[in-house]
Amino acid sequence: MGVKIKKDLAFRRVAGELFVVDSAKARLHELNGPAAVIWEGLTKGRGEAAIAAAMRGEFEVDARTALADIRNFTAELAAAGLLEESV
Amino acid sequence: MSIMRAAAKAPAACGRIGLKIAGFGFNFKSYSAGIISILEKRYGRFGVPGESGYDLEIVEARGSQTPFKPAVSFDGRTLELKRGDFEAVIDTRSRSGLVRVSPTEQCLDAFLRSLISFMLIRSGGFMLHSAGLVRNGKAYLFPGISGAGKSTLSKLAAGSGGGGVISDEINIVRLEQGRWRVYGSPFWGEMRADGRPGSWTLGGIYLLKKSAVNGISPCADAESYRTLLRCLVNFSSDAETAALALANTARLVSVYPAGRLEFSKETADFLRLIR
């Protein structure tokens, strides 16, 4: 069982940053470039390896660092209540 | 008390008032002389006799302001707006509805803000917590949260006679035929004016910063987008409306990159920088 972005969130990329609105909680989240790539990977249902590859394509980062960033950021998203379990 | 039962109790004399706000027409009717009187007094400058648009019957009811934040729901046809002191059910297809409100200016104001903010987002625009000024026939917006300087700037502009104030608290923007326009707003803050009807081409957007010296500098798109989103008025809690708000705001920022206005609260000299 993995995780995916929670339903009922609105988001849009502007000027390289991703803005996420959690209307139910009336909260606005702002994600930087690498975080936006991870977010967009999760919205497309991609796994860690695929997201890490996308990160390496956009940023100068090695695979190990990319995977660590994905795990850390995913934990942050979960803590913020922006993820749900995917079956 | 249900809305329908309250309507059935209506006495014979029915008052009517037509309003046009933000380009939307409203025909209000009510058997409550008190409500018609408040509407005439509060929004009279936006009055348009026989205006076509939404036909809304208003029924007087009692209630408290708790919960204070309006709840907005929309199923694609029926719009429901609810707060402790008002409740509205509006059929958007037939453009008719029934509104139950406490007979106070604050309650009617809250109801109209909820309704018009929803309609604006659905029609490509939005309400913005901002000061709005007219300079050389164009409207300039200064978005900011509480304490940013909206009322200070508006009072300075009004006092100087060099900048007509559209509102010191909430301004209305709409995209019409590919161009952004700012509409006169009846929703004011500290200045408590009754607003000026009309609309103006949007001339520019400036984020506010209080300073000892006046000046203008560029502002990054992400920062202006963030500020606009934080100042956007939206009471709806559904993702679809939020997505529309994000899209409308992105469209505005793509056409009007904001600047930053540093202004001194001592004089209205900053007006010379607005163009």
Side-chain angles (χ1 to χ4, degrees):
Chain A
M1 188 179 293
V3 293
K4 63 180 182 180
I5 300 297
K6 203 174 74 172
K7 282 190 299 184
D8 300 330
L9 298 174
F11 51 93
R12 190 175 190 92
R13 203 195 258 255
V14 170
E17 302 194 18
L18 192 83
F19 293 84
V20 180
V21 176
D22 185 349
S23 298
K25 294 181 180 173
R27 291 198 64 182
L28 172 66
H29 302 271
E30 189 175 342
L31 312 185
N32 63 16
V37 171
I38 299 170
W39 177 279
E40 286 168 349
L42 290 171
T43 61
K44 290 170 184 166
R46 290 180 178 154
E48 280 185 350
I51 296 172
M55 288 181 71
R56 292 179 67 193
E58 281 205 35
F59 307 101
E60 288 185 16
V61 60
D62 59 57
R64 189 173 168 179
T65 305
L67 282 170
D69 285 349
I70 292 166
R71 286 168 191 162
N72 289 337
F73 181 60
T74 304
E76 285 182 35
L77 291 176
L82 299 176
L83 295 183
E84 60 188 10
E85 291 179 349
S86 63
V87 182
Chain B
M1 182 191 298
S2 75
I3 285 180
M4 296 314 293
R5 184 166 298 175
K9 284 187 174 179
C14 180
R16 295 175 188 273
I17 179 171
L19 300 176
K20 191 160 191 175
I21 302 172
F24 300 113
F26 303 100
N27 289 303
F28 292 108
K29 74 171 184 179
S30 180
Y31 292 94
S32 162
I35 284 177
I36 292 297
S37 172
I38 293 170
L39 287 171
E40 286 174 343
K41 184 179 168 193
R42 175 71 181 80
Y43 306 104
R45 294 194 69 182
F46 293 83
V48 180
E51 177 61 32
S52 63
Y54 284 77
D55 292 313
L56 302 175
E57 179 172 352
I58 304 189
V59 175
E60 191 172 315
R62 299 290 164 189
S64 72
Q65 289 189 354
T66 306
F68 187 72
K69 187 184 175 191
V72 178
S73 64
F74 182 59
D75 66 5
R77 174 166 180 170
T78 304
L79 171 63
E80 293 188 27
L81 309 165
K82 194 181 292 187
R83 198 174 84 159
D85 55 355
F86 69 76
E87 182 177 2
V89 180
I90 299 168
D91 183 336
T92 57
R93 203 167 296 172
S94 67
R95 296 187 164 203
S96 62
L98 192 57
V99 187
R100 187 172 66 91
V101 297
S102 291
T104 66
E105 186 179 307
Q106 293 87 344
C107 181
L108 283 161
D109 219 58
F111 159 65
L112 275 176
R113 287 186 195 205
S114 308
L115 173 60
I116 295 172
S117 62
F118 177 85
M119 293 169 71
L120 280 165
I121 290 173
R122 297 272 160 174
S123 59
F126 50 90
M127 267 185 194
L128 192 66
H129 280 289
S130 57
L133 303 180
V134 177
R135 293 276 292 164
N136 302 318
K138 289 187 176 179
Y140 294 85
L141 297 178
F142 306 85
I145 58 173
S146 184
K150 301 188 295 293
S151 288
T152 302
L153 176 135
S154 300
K155 287 173 186 171
L156 287 169
S160 75
V165 181
I166 304 170
S167 169
D168 67 337
E169 178 63 23
I170 290 183
N171 288 275
I172 293 164
V173 285
R174 291 189 71 173
L175 181 60
E176 294 178 344
Q177 297 173 335
R179 294 187 177 185
W180 287 92
R181 293 190 72 78
V182 177
Y183 277 81
S185 167
F187 308 115
W188 286 61
E190 286 178 26
M191 291 178 74
R192 297 199 172 280
D194 52 1
R196 48 194 288 190
S199 70
W200 303 265
T201 299
L202 177 59
I205 301 171
Y206 295 93
L207 310 192
L208 292 174
K209 184 176 181 185
K210 293 173 186 169
S211 172
V213 181
N214 297 318
I216 283 184
S217 55
C219 185
D221 281 352
E223 185 181 0
S224 55
Y225 189 63
R226 179 193 313 125
T227 302
L228 288 171
L229 287 177
R230 287 186 172 150
C231 296
L232 187 148
V233 180
N234 175 26
F235 299 107
S236 177
S237 58
D238 69 87
E240 183 190 356
T241 305
L244 288 171
L246 286 170
N248 296 350
T249 310
R251 205 170 290 132
L252 177 62
V253 169
S254 71
V255 181
Y256 288 93
R260 181 185 313 287
L261 172 66
E262 296 187 23
F263 75 103
S264 160
K265 62 181 182 181
E266 302 302 323
T267 71
D269 289 350
F270 64 86
L271 284 171
R272 287 181 294 183
L273 302 172
I274 305 304
R275 58 174 75 108

